[in-house]
Coordinates of all heavy atoms in Angstrom, one line a residue:
I5 N -37.8 -90.1 105.4 CA -38.1 -90.2 106.8 C -37.4 -91.5 107.3 O -37.7 -92.6 106.8 CB -39.7 -90.3 107.0 CG1 -40.5 -89.3 106.3 CG2 -39.9 -90.4 108.5 CD1 -40.2 -87.9 106.8
Q14 N -41.0 -104.6 112.7 CA -41.8 -104.4 111.5 C -41.7 -102.9 111.1 O -41.8 -102.0 111.9 CB -43.2 -104.7 111.8 CG -44.1 -104.6 110.6 CD -45.6 -104.9 110.9 OE1 -46.0 -105.1 112.0 NE2 -46.4 -104.9 109.9
P19 N -41.5 -96.5 100.5 CA -40.1 -96.1 100.4 C -39.7 -94.8 101.0 O -38.6 -94.4 101.1 CB -39.8 -96.2 98.9 CG -41.2 -96.1 98.3 CD -42.2 -96.7 99.3
P23 N -35.6 -97.6 107.6 CA -35.1 -97.9 108.9 C -33.6 -97.5 109.1 O -32.8 -97.8 108.2 CB -35.3 -99.4 109.1 CG -35.5 -99.9 107.7 CD -35.9 -98.8 106.8
I30 N -21.7 -100.1 118.3 CA -21.5 -100.9 119.6 C -22.3 -102.2 119.5 O -22.1 -103.1 120.4 CB -21.9 -100.1 120.8 CG1 -23.4 -99.6 120.7 CG2 -21.0 -98.9 121.0 CD1 -23.9 -98.9 122.0
G33 N -22.9 -103.8 114.0 CA -23.5 -103.6 112.7 C -25.1 -103.6 112.8 O -25.6 -103.6 113.9
N53 N -25.4 -92.8 125.4 CA -25.6 -91.5 126.1 C -26.6 -90.7 125.3 O -27.2 -89.8 125.9 CB -24.3 -90.8 126.2 CG -23.3 -91.5 127.0 OD1 -23.6 -92.0 128.1 ND2 -22.1 -91.6 126.6
W64 N -28.4 -85.6 109.6 CA -27.9 -84.3 109.4 C -26.7 -84.3 108.5 O -26.5 -83.5 107.6 CB -27.7 -83.6 110.8 CG -27.0 -82.3 110.7 CD1 -27.2 -81.2 109.9 CD2 -25.9 -81.8 111.6 NE1 -26.4 -80.2 110.2 CE2 -25.6 -80.5 111.2 CE3 -25.2 -82.4 112.6 CZ2 -24.6 -79.8 111.9 CZ3 -24.3 -81.7 113.3 CH2 -24.0 -80.4 112.9
L89 N -49.2 -100.1 111.2 CA -48.7 -99.2 110.2 C -49.7 -98.7 109.2 O -49.3 -97.9 108.3 CB -47.5 -99.9 109.5 CG -46.3 -100.3 110.4 CD1 -45.3 -101.1 109.6 CD2 -45.7 -99.1 111.1
G91 N -52.1 -96.5 109.2 CA -52.5 -95.1 109.2 C -51.4 -94.0 109.1 O -51.6 -92.8 109.2
Y105 N -47.1 -75.9 105.7 CA -46.3 -75.7 106.9 C -44.8 -76.0 106.6 O -44.5 -76.8 105.7 CB -46.8 -76.7 108.0 CG -48.2 -76.6 108.3 CD1 -49.1 -77.6 107.8 CD2 -48.8 -75.5 109.0 CE1 -50.5 -77.5 108.1 CE2 -50.1 -75.4 109.3 CZ -51.0 -76.4 108.8 OH -52.3 -76.3 109.1
I117 N -51.6 -87.1 134.8 CA -50.9 -88.0 135.7 C -51.6 -88.1 137.0 O -52.0 -87.1 137.6 CB -49.4 -87.5 135.9 CG1 -48.7 -87.4 134.6 CG2 -48.7 -88.3 137.0 CD1 -47.4 -86.7 134.7
E118 N -51.9 -89.4 137.4 CA -52.6 -89.6 138.6 C -51.6 -89.4 139.8 O -50.5 -89.7 139.7 CB -53.2 -91.0 138.6 CG -54.2 -91.2 137.5 CD -54.7 -92.6 137.5 OE1 -54.0 -93.4 136.9 OE2 -55.8 -92.8 138.0

Side-chain angles (χ1 to χ4, degrees):
I5 310 294
Q14 182 181 7
I30 58 174
N53 298 317
W64 172 43
L89 299 173
Y105 308 104
I117 300 173
E118 299 176 280

